[in-house]
Amino acid sequence: MYDNNPTIPGHSKEMDESKQGTALMLDDNPSTNKKSFYIESYGCQMNFSDSEIVASILAKAGYSSTRNMEESDLILINTCSIREKAEDTVRRRLTEFNKVKRSKPSTIIGVLGCMAERLKAKFLEEEKLVDIVVGPDAYRDLPNLISSADEGNRSINVLLSREETYADIAPLRLQSNGISAFISIMRGCDNMCSFCVVPFTRGRERSRDPFTIVSEATDLFQKGYKEVTLLGQNVDSFKWENPETKEIVSFADLLEMVALVHPDLRVRFSTSHPKDITDDVLYKIKDYKNICNYIHLPAQSGNSRVLKLMNRTYDREWYLQKIDRIYEIIPDCAISSDFISGFCTETEDEHNESLSLISYAKYTMSFMFFYSERPGTLAAKKYEDDIPLDIKKRRLAEIVELQMNLSLEHNLKDVGQTFEVLVEGDSKRSAEEFKGRNSQNKVIIFPKVAGVKPGDYLDVKVTDATRATLRGVAV
Ligand code: SAH
Ligand code: SF4
Ligand code: F3S
């Protein structure tokens, strides 16, 4: 579950994280004497989605948003703990915020999200200029925590919940293109991948009432949105029991419910866990044209021994069978992945098995990382982080290089083909060109056509391909 722009093949996620540290804002609202907040978000799509929930809670509490940190009364940072580098970025930003606070001491600084949850009160001890610390399940308490901080009390709420899904809160869409939106369908994670901090920072898995999900999707469509991405750490284990009828709604059922909102509303989802994705889900993708032919199916490693140490609960053969099954049911499906190089005790041969798995799976792109030990995780407790950094990095470079070649190969195969593209807006480089995506989540750039606007669907024939993008012409 990552950024909404998984189109650059072979790039490291670390780059993404720093890139994603963008200030989010609502319409600037300079007219009132209301208090204002400024928020920056890091990490995965779920964190970005949470920032939209936070913005909604703050708006209700009378705060307007600003993109000017110096002017704001409240500076918030929604943080990520997934790798050490992600936390380093947050600390650097806090140093910048502290400079602002020194010149304007009434400014409240708040740390939200996974790093707040991981470090808890330690944050208040370590980072002297942090006023509030709020974990991912405690955002409803923000107005209270802010009032308390206004009175000079540094405050913290990092309670995790088994129920909280923020189902009733309509997220304020921040920095939206008005075409695509995220919808959180569940929170937390019950898997215990040994390298991963998420179960500790996000708590137990819980699924959101599917009817609130459908009404959010319907509302978005009525507002002109044409694409929703259903978010969860492990969407395939979505499971909701109707309290009255006791009927179970599975992820496959949910996909169908959202697909039925309107044939012109594209449905995407992330992330799928190889152990949980079912044939039912694959058939829904096949049966509904508006459920996109794209699956993010992180492998992490191609070697069964390493996968066992990682506690992924599948082995190489199981994963390869899943890949075969996907291509069997949805032949034109695009698949992407995540890999970690240099996990504890990984040998050269085992690393080579990651490379061979990547070649077999023919991913359109991957997010690739070298292993970063996280305090408190099973791996940190049980295994030695024994692969030297230079070897981790060299193995990562080999994975990246291979993926880039595969991405190019994949894209070259698209040349000459015509795809239905959802127009998202101007291309980055030119106001004469549009940028859009096909069902496989590949970005296609093409010259503008009279009468076509963002949010329209259009058939585009691919004429040219690089590793990262396709170019084409409307047909
Ligand atoms: N729920 C998703 C992953 C969320 S974290 C899933 O199961 O696929 C996103 C990615 O970060 C992971 O897929 C993994 O590749 C990477 N990652 C997580 N912990 C890491 C660590 N300690 N070091 C390096 N990469 C890590
Ligand atoms: Fe982390 Fe594994 Fe859960 Fe993904 S499934 S969030 S990698 S514990
Ligand atoms: Fe997401 Fe980072 Fe937390 S990846 S769940 S913000 S640790």
Side-chain angles (χ1 to χ4, degrees), residues 3 16-25 37-55 75-80 86 89-90 93 97 110 112-113 139 174-175 182 202:
D3 68 9
D16 260 11
E17 264 146 15
S18 48
K19 199 179 63 193
Q20 285 183 4
T22 44
L24 302 175
M25 75 274 324
F37 72 95
Y38 167 94
I39 185 166
E40 280 184 15
S41 306
Y42 294 83
C44 63
Q45 290 169 338
M46 292 219 72
N47 241 22
F48 281 71
S49 172
D50 279 3
S51 290
E52 300 187 328
I53 288 166
V54 166
I75 301 178
L76 298 174
I77 183 162
N78 197 355
T79 60
C80 174
T89 309
V90 169
R93 288 307 290 155
F97 298 167
L112 319 178
Y139 296 144
L174 297 159
Q175 260 194 359
F182 297 132
R202 295 245 158 197

Side-chain angles (χ1 to χ4, degrees), residues 1-2 13 17 42-48 50 78-83 86-87 113-115 136 196-199 201-202 233 374:
M1 13 199 330
Y2 318 93
K13 184 72 192 315
E17 264 146 15
Y42 294 83
C44 63
Q45 290 169 338
M46 292 219 72
N47 241 22
F48 281 71
D50 279 3
N78 197 355
T79 60
C80 174
S81 286
I82 201 82
R83 284 166 290 276
E87 292 200 350
C114 291
M115 206 173 156
C196 185
V197 80
V198 172
T201 62
R202 295 245 158 197
Q233 291 297 353
R374 307 311 293 132

Side-chain angles (χ1 to χ4, degrees), residues 107-377:
T107 313
I108 303 287
I109 297 181
V111 181
L112 319 178
C114 291
M115 206 173 156
E117 192 62 49
R118 194 177 83 72
L119 293 171
K120 301 189 170 62
K122 268 189 231 150
F123 232 115
L124 295 178
E125 292 152 24
E126 264 184 50
E127 310 284 338
K128 290 286 179 264
L129 295 182
V130 169
D131 302 290
I132 52 181
V133 177
V134 195
D137 287 345
Y139 296 144
R140 286 180 203 267
D141 198 23
L142 259 168
N144 297 329
L145 297 167
I146 297 166
S147 309
S148 167
D150 275 335
E151 286 158 20
N153 307 311
R154 301 166 86 209
S155 46
I156 177 164
N157 186 342
V158 287
L159 287 175
L160 287 172
S161 157
R162 281 175 177 251
E163 284 94 37
E164 181 62 273
T165 58
Y166 300 110
D168 58 315
I169 295 183
L172 274 178
R173 304 291 164 187
L174 297 159
Q175 260 194 359
S176 160
N177 61 3
I179 312 292
S180 313
F182 297 132
I183 302 183
S184 281
I185 63 163
M186 57 207 294
R187 300 182 71 81
C189 182
D190 279 355
N191 294 317
M192 272 288 176
C193 302
S194 62
F195 52 80
C196 185
V197 80
V198 172
F200 304 96
T201 62
R202 295 245 158 197
R204 298 303 298 268
E205 181 183 293
R206 65 221 96 119
S207 299
R208 174 177 168 190
D209 178 339
F211 299 99
T212 67
I213 297 169
V214 169
S215 66
E216 194 173 324
T218 307
D219 180 57
L220 284 163
F221 185 72
Q222 283 164 357
K223 289 183 172 139
Y225 284 80
K226 294 290 176 58
E227 184 176 79
V228 293
T229 303
L230 309 180
L231 294 182
Q233 291 297 353
N234 181 7
V235 289
D236 301 281
S237 67
F238 179 92
K239 190 176 169 202
W240 186 81
E241 188 186 281
N242 189 319
E244 278 141 37
T245 63
K246 301 290 167 208
E247 232 175 307
I248 300 285
V249 177
S250 70
F251 182 58
D253 300 331
L254 176 71
L255 265 183
E256 181 161 41
M257 287 164 76
V258 180
L260 287 170
V261 166
H262 198 282
D264 284 344
L265 182 71
R266 274 187 175 177
V267 186
R268 299 187 183 277
F269 55 89
S270 188
T271 298
S272 289
H273 195 296
K275 80 173 160 59
D276 293 318
I277 190 164
T278 59
D279 277 6
D280 277 356
V281 167
L282 300 181
Y283 281 113
K284 295 295 180 211
I285 300 174
K286 180 188 163 79
D287 291 348
Y288 286 88
K289 184 170 169 267
N290 58 330
I291 304 181
C292 291
N293 291 356
Y294 170 63
I295 301 175
H296 185 58
L297 195 73
Q300 314 298 358
S301 165
N303 171 264
S304 295
R305 188 190 71 90
V306 174
L307 286 168
K308 194 160 192 327
L309 290 185
M310 288 178 162
N311 205 19
R312 289 290 286 183
T313 70
Y314 53 85
D315 61 10
R316 179 183 172 92
E317 278 58 47
W318 168 281
Y319 188 89
L320 294 178
Q321 278 168 19
K322 278 288 168 201
I323 295 287
D324 290 346
R325 194 73 183 137
I326 293 170
Y327 287 138
E328 194 182 318
I329 296 173
I330 319 157
D332 63 340
C333 195
I335 309 176
S336 60
S337 193
D338 292 351
F339 282 88
I340 298 178
S341 73
F343 187 65
C344 314
T345 72
E346 183 190 65
T347 66
E348 217 49 43
D349 284 349
E350 289 168 343
H351 159 65
N352 287 332
E353 281 201 71
S354 289
L355 297 176
S356 67
L357 183 127
I358 292 171
S359 299
Y360 184 92
K362 298 196 167 54
Y363 300 119
T364 51
M365 68 118 213
S366 293
F367 293 106
M368 297 154 282
F369 318 96
F370 62 80
Y371 175 57
S372 164
E373 186 179 79
R374 307 311 293 132
T377 55

